Amino acid sequence: PATTMRLALAAVASAMPDCAPQPTPAACLNTTGCAWLTLSGACADAASPRTLLTPPSCCASQTPGSPCEHRTADLPDGSCSVPGTGGLQAGEFDLAKAQRMAHFAGATYCSPDQITHWNCGPHCDGVPEVSDVTLISNTSQVLQGLVAFDKTLDAVVVAFRGTISKSITDWVHDMGVSRISPLTQYPDALVHHGFWDSWKAVEAEVVAAVGALLKKHPGVTVMVSGHSLGAAIATDAAMDMKLSHGWTTALVNFGSPRPGNQVYAEALGKEISFIWRLTHNDDLVPHSPPESFGFYHAAREIFFPAEDPTNLTYQVCDDSGEDPQCSDQCAGHWACTSVVDHLHYAGFELDSANCAPSLLV
């Protein structure tokens, strides 16, 4: 009888699909009986409880009878959308405040001397009443940012520069999809490894400067911002400063890539006082890393659909973080390829071209 039982168990085991090792949607769907789960970026048994509990729009399988909505590995970016739990309501978005934060994000592209003396051209001129400016820099990782006090906002402001790669398209393609779990409070929150490492490379400088300003201005909000890569660093910074130091943080980002998984997106919504994630028309960066590899945006997205960068008509998107009626709408027809849209936000150009001409980096 024991021999018979062992043979029976061996037969069952041999019939079960070996899904977990499959690293990509294509490899997963080429394995009989498997399903690719977009929210986790992982392959699982198509009949497992994990798969059956996944929203149908967030998985793909060729297994007959599978509830998964998708049948091929060619998963459209933004096809998975999970309802949120609340947050910013329509009417709360303040364009003037977002534009002020865009100036800070834009200023980070200017030279260190321009930043420290707050004499960088249009972006510095656009936000008077700024004091105690500290340059943040890590030359080995080509990172730059600033910490300052803004009297108008009555807030400590932290801003990070985006990538200064000669080709933004190449940077997007080389972004990678490695994730880590650095938050003890949210062990299932997975964060893009490279973005988190970038934040950690400047964390000590930022925390010291912010802490000093909070001693002078106790109780104010720490408003964190960035463009492109800087937006991803800003997201991790806002979260880490809240969890590690208890500081009240807010986040205003421009053209951010996806910083982590859906658990991380939900955690951001719980911990950060408000999030405005601005997107512009067909900007390519918000669609990387791909959603199909387990990356997901946090709400609330503020979508500027006009190609004309001076047209400031916007749409406050739903609380899912991946509203198919906002920037994800271009993903269905693979049109999210615009570098020009990526460089223009809230009526401004966000790169070194908008710095004072005599001191360009």
Side-chain angles (χ1 to χ4, degrees), residues 36-41 57-58 75-82 179 258 260 262 286-297 320-323 328 331:
W36 182 261
L37 309 184
T38 298
L39 288 175
S40 57
S57 67
C58 299
L75 295 168
D77 192 59
S79 58
C80 171
S81 181
V82 180
R179 301 176 301 174
R258 293 185 176 100
Q262 194 250 346
H287 305 283
S288 296
E291 190 181 26
S292 60
F293 280 83
F295 289 85
Y296 200 92
H297 273 305
S320 71
E322 296 284 353
D323 187 340
D328 276 344

Side-chain angles (χ1 to χ4, degrees), residues 30-361:
N30 283 334
T31 304
T32 302
C34 295
W36 182 261
L37 309 184
T38 298
L39 288 175
S40 57
C43 191
D45 184 341
S48 68
R50 183 183 180 190
T51 300
L52 297 176
L53 290 172
T54 296
S57 67
C58 299
C59 64
S61 178
Q62 295 181 349
T63 303
S66 167
C68 294
E69 183 177 305
H70 306 285
R71 293 291 179 258
T72 71
D74 193 18
L75 295 168
D77 192 59
S79 58
C80 171
S81 181
V82 180
T85 56
L88 178 71
Q89 300 301 314
E92 291 183 53
F93 174 66
D94 185 331
L95 177 59
K97 184 180 290 187
Q99 288 179 309
R100 193 169 182 89
M101 295 303 293
H103 280 309
F104 284 107
T108 63
Y109 284 96
C110 302
S111 73
D113 186 62
Q114 289 178 320
I115 293 172
T116 54
H117 291 91
W118 208 242
N119 185 26
C120 64
H123 288 308
C124 292
D125 295 342
V127 281
E129 297 193 307
V130 171
S131 62
D132 298 299
V133 180
T134 298
L135 176 73
I136 304 298
S137 179
N138 183 298
T139 54
S140 65
Q141 294 200 31
V142 200
L143 303 173
Q144 185 166 286
L146 64 88
V147 176
F149 181 73
D150 184 344
K151 182 178 179 181
T152 299
L153 294 176
D154 191 29
V156 173
V157 172
V158 181
F160 298 96
R161 183 179 66 188
T163 180
I164 54 173
S165 167
K166 292 182 179 179
S167 172
I168 290 175
T169 303
D170 288 347
W171 171 69
V172 167
H173 289 164
D174 295 339
M175 195 175 288
V177 293
S178 175
R179 301 176 301 174
I180 58 173
S181 177
L183 306 178
T184 56
Q185 299 92 332
Y186 295 95
D188 294 328
L190 301 178
V191 180
H192 187 279
H193 198 163
F195 301 158
W196 186 260
D197 283 353
S198 294
W199 155 240
K200 287 299 178 178
V202 296
E203 176 190 11
E205 285 184 80
V206 172
V207 167
V210 171
L213 285 177
L214 287 176
K215 287 182 179 178
K216 295 176 65 175
H217 308 279
V220 302
T221 296
V222 181
M223 294 191 64
V224 193
S225 186
H227 169 245
S228 194
L229 167 64
I233 300 172
T235 301
D236 291 342
M239 186 63 154
D240 201 16
M241 287 191 288
K242 170 60 167 64
L243 294 179
S244 298
H245 301 279
W247 298 334
T248 300
T249 58
L251 189 60
V252 183
N253 274 343
F254 307 91
S256 177
R258 293 185 176 100
N261 68 351
Q262 194 250 346
V263 176
Y264 186 47
E266 287 189 348
L268 288 165
K270 293 176 181 177
E271 298 290 347
I272 297 177
S273 60
F274 69 85
I275 300 172
W276 298 343
R277 183 176 61 82
L278 277 66
T279 57
H280 179 207
N281 194 34
D282 291 341
D283 180 356
L284 76 168
V285 171
H287 305 283
S288 296
E291 190 181 26
S292 60
F293 280 83
F295 289 85
Y296 200 92
H297 273 305
R300 185 132 342 204
E301 178 184 0
I302 312 297
F303 179 50
F304 290 72
E307 182 177 356
D308 178 359
T310 66
N311 185 337
L312 298 183
T313 301
Y314 63 84
Q315 175 182 343
V316 177
C317 307
D318 69 21
D319 63 359
S320 71
E322 296 284 353
D323 187 340
Q325 302 303 314
C326 289
S327 64
D328 276 344
Q329 65 183 273
C330 68
H333 49 275
W334 310 105
C336 311
T337 59
S338 177
V339 173
V340 173
D341 288 348
H342 181 62
L343 297 177
H344 292 85
Y345 270 89
F348 309 117
E349 183 175 355
L350 299 183
D351 60 13
S352 61
N354 220 13
C355 298
S358 61
L359 294 173
L360 283 176
V361 177

